Each structure stands twice: as C-alpha cells, then as structure tokens.
Amino acid sequence: MEKTEHMLSKRVVVLTGAGISAESGVRTFRDNDGLWENHRIEDVATPEAWRADPELVWQFYQARRKQLLEVEPNPAHFALAELELSLEHFTLITQNVDDLHERAGSSNVIHMHGRLNTLRCEQTNRNEIRMSEDDLQNEFLSCTCCSEPSRLRPDIVWFGETPMEMPTIYAALEKCEVFIVVGSSGHVYPAAGMVNIAKMIGAKTILVNLDEPLNAYDFDEIHYGKAGELLPRLLQTWMKEF
Ligand code: OAD
C-alpha cells in the first residue's frame, strides 16, 4: 500500500495488545482466566520454565505458531493500516506476537514482545523465519547460523527479559502528540506505563478496549467495545481531527 498524497500532520503512536486480535480468534491472556491446559501463562513464558521443562514450553509456542496459519486480520488491524497511510509520522507498537498487523498491510511494526514466526538461536541470538510444515512439529529445531547447529528457542520476550526496541519506542513516545492504546489490560510493564510518558509530554491519550483496564484513569478519551467494530468508525473521526 502507498501513502496518500495529503498527509495529516499529527505525530501518532499506537500501542496494541491481545484484544485487537481477539476478533480474529487469537485468545487473549487474561480474559479467559489466563490458563493454558492448567498452566498459568507465567509458568510457560519465563526463561526458568524453558530451562526446567523445555518440552512443555516448546509445545505451548508450537501450538500458537500453528494457529497463525488459521487466523486472519480483522477490521481493527485494517483500520490501523489505513491510518498509517494518512499520517506522516506514525509508529505502531504491538505487544502481540502474531503477524496480523503485517498481514493487514501495516509496515515497520515494532514487536516489543517478540514474534511467533521467527525462532532464535540460543547461542548467537540471531533469529530466522521458520514457518514451514516441518518447522511446526513437536520436535525441537536447530539453527542455520552455527557451524554446529544449536537449539532454537521461541523468539519471544519472556517475563524477566527486556522487551525489544525500547530506545526506538521511547524516541517515538517522547515526540508523540496522540497516543492510542487498543486492546490491552494494562497489567504488563513497560507497555502499561507508556500512557504516562505520553501524558507527561502533553499528548492526547485515547483508549479503545472491551473492558476497563488497570490504567484507565490515564486516558483522556475512552471507547469501550470491540476494536473490530469501533476502530473503523473512529478512524473516520481521527482522519478529520489529526
Ligand atoms: P490481556 O489478555 O492482558 O488483555 C487483553 C485486553 O483486551 C483486555 O483488557 C480485554 O478487555 C481487551 N479485549 C478483549 N477483546 C477485545 C476486543 N474484541 N476489542 C478490544 N479489546 C478487547 O492482553 P495484553 O494487555 O496484550 O506478554 O497482555 C500484555 C502481555 O501479557 C502480553 O503481550 C503477553 C502477556 O503476558 C508476553 O507474552 C511477553
């Protein structure tokens, strides 16, 4: 997709969470009690869990990687791709590890919590796209970067690890004039604290979410409902305001 000729001038940063992919059929983390086959997300999404029971963690992420092939972007993802086309300065940050923003047409998506379609070498930390049929089985996989191939781990930021691309994220936040959050419960930092930074520098803060998140009081404008239903309509308003 190409940018439109008449660009809107506001500097906009959008942060998305699991809620934006809910209508595509991707389960959120906290809406359905956060359990995966009786394991809490915290028990399968830590470096400790990977060391203690790598098979369990591998199975959890292989199931999520396979699910990528079955889901499609929804109107909320498409609305953000369209918003990007109208703005000269636009940054899309997602906590989601799926690729639905990209498939809807968004470019330069910052995946602060990593990605499902890549795997990371445990020795070199290099990641590679591994989504062929052979890559989605139960067996562990090896990298293509080491002379003696090393085991690959999910390319996911686990609890206790540092989110990706934080300097780029802070640079965008420090200059933003409008900060929009879509589909996030405000439980997990640093993502949940970004609204405070945006507010501190005087940006307008907007929330689109199904239920009240923990950090609701930090938003100037709140729209409760489903992102897939609300965002296409809000997009029309924002096109006039920005
Ligand atoms: P959560 O599962 O914590 O929250 C999802 C939010 O989306 C909730 O507040 C819901 O009300 C809202 N929601 C559900 N359906 C929606 C819809 N159709 N439209 C709009 N909103 C909807 O997900 P996150 O806040 O993204 O981290 O969770 C943050 C991080 O916690 C995740 O990135 C993940 C997890 O641990 C890692 O894996 C590192």
Side-chain angles (χ1 to χ4, degrees):
M1 280 202 268
E2 284 187 14
K3 295 243 178 202
T4 48
E5 259 176 41
H6 181 71
M7 304 295 273
L8 304 170
S9 61
K10 283 271 194 297
R11 290 177 177 268
V12 178
V13 175
V14 176
L15 169 71
T16 64
I20 197 168
S21 296
E23 286 155 85
S24 295
V26 182
R27 279 177 61 174
T28 61
F29 293 93
R30 293 175 184 82
D31 289 329
N32 27 30
D33 73 15
L35 291 181
W36 176 72
E37 294 183 2
N38 296 325
H39 303 286
R40 292 184 314 144
I41 178 72
E42 288 82 355
D43 295 336
V44 280
T46 63
E48 293 76 25
W50 177 242
R51 276 195 294 273
D53 194 347
E55 280 87 7
L56 175 79
V57 175
W58 185 248
Q59 274 175 41
F60 172 73
Y61 284 104
Q62 285 298 72
R64 297 180 70 83
R65 281 159 44 75
K66 271 186 216 153
Q67 195 200 23
L68 278 190
L69 304 179
E70 291 154 19
V71 295
E72 297 289 341
N74 68 57
H77 296 104
F78 287 110
L80 291 183
E82 205 179 322
L83 181 62
E84 173 181 351
L85 293 179
S86 318
L87 289 160
E88 208 171 332
H89 302 284
F90 178 81
T91 306
L92 178 55
I93 306 160
T94 187
Q95 298 168 84
N96 297 344
V97 291
D98 64 52
D99 60 352
L100 295 178
H101 283 304
E102 285 88 347
R103 285 203 261 149
S106 290
S107 52
N108 306 319
V109 185
I110 300 177
H111 281 272
M112 63 178 293
H113 289 166
R115 296 194 293 162
L116 282 172
N117 52 12
T118 50
L119 294 170
R120 194 188 316 158
C121 170
E122 287 196 285
Q123 291 304 317
T124 65
N125 279 331
R126 277 193 211 152
N127 64 13
E128 42 187 277
I129 297 174
R130 295 292 292 264
M131 284 300 288
S132 76
E133 206 180 320
D134 288 347
D135 294 330
L136 296 171
Q137 307 307 316
N138 282 339
E139 297 75 38
F140 289 118
L141 294 169
S142 300
C143 72
T144 55
C145 57
C146 297
S147 50
E148 256 184 58
S150 317
R151 189 172 65 173
L152 287 164
R153 59 161 271 182
D155 195 16
I156 302 290
V157 176
W158 285 324
F159 287 96
E161 296 182 326
T162 308
M164 295 172 179
E165 301 195 55
M166 289 312 290
T168 313
I169 291 174
Y170 287 131
L173 281 174
E174 278 160 18
K175 283 192 241 134
C176 86
E177 295 170 284
V178 180
F179 178 67
I180 304 169
V181 174
V182 184
S184 185
S185 63
H187 273 84
V188 176
Y189 283 80
M194 287 179 193
V195 62
N196 303 106
I197 299 173
K199 227 177 150 57
M200 220 158 53
I201 61 132
K204 179 176 182 177
T205 55
I206 304 175
L207 171 75
V208 180
N209 210 53
L210 191 57
D211 307 303
E212 186 176 338
L214 283 184
N215 54 1
Y217 53 85
D218 288 319
F219 290 91
D220 301 320
E221 188 180 308
I222 295 186
H223 303 271
Y224 285 125
K226 290 188 175 176
E229 291 168 11
L230 290 176
L231 271 189
R233 270 189 280 140
L234 285 168
L235 179 72
Q236 302 311 318
T237 319
W238 293 339
M239 296 285 214
K240 289 180 206 132
E241 280 180 13
F242 298 166

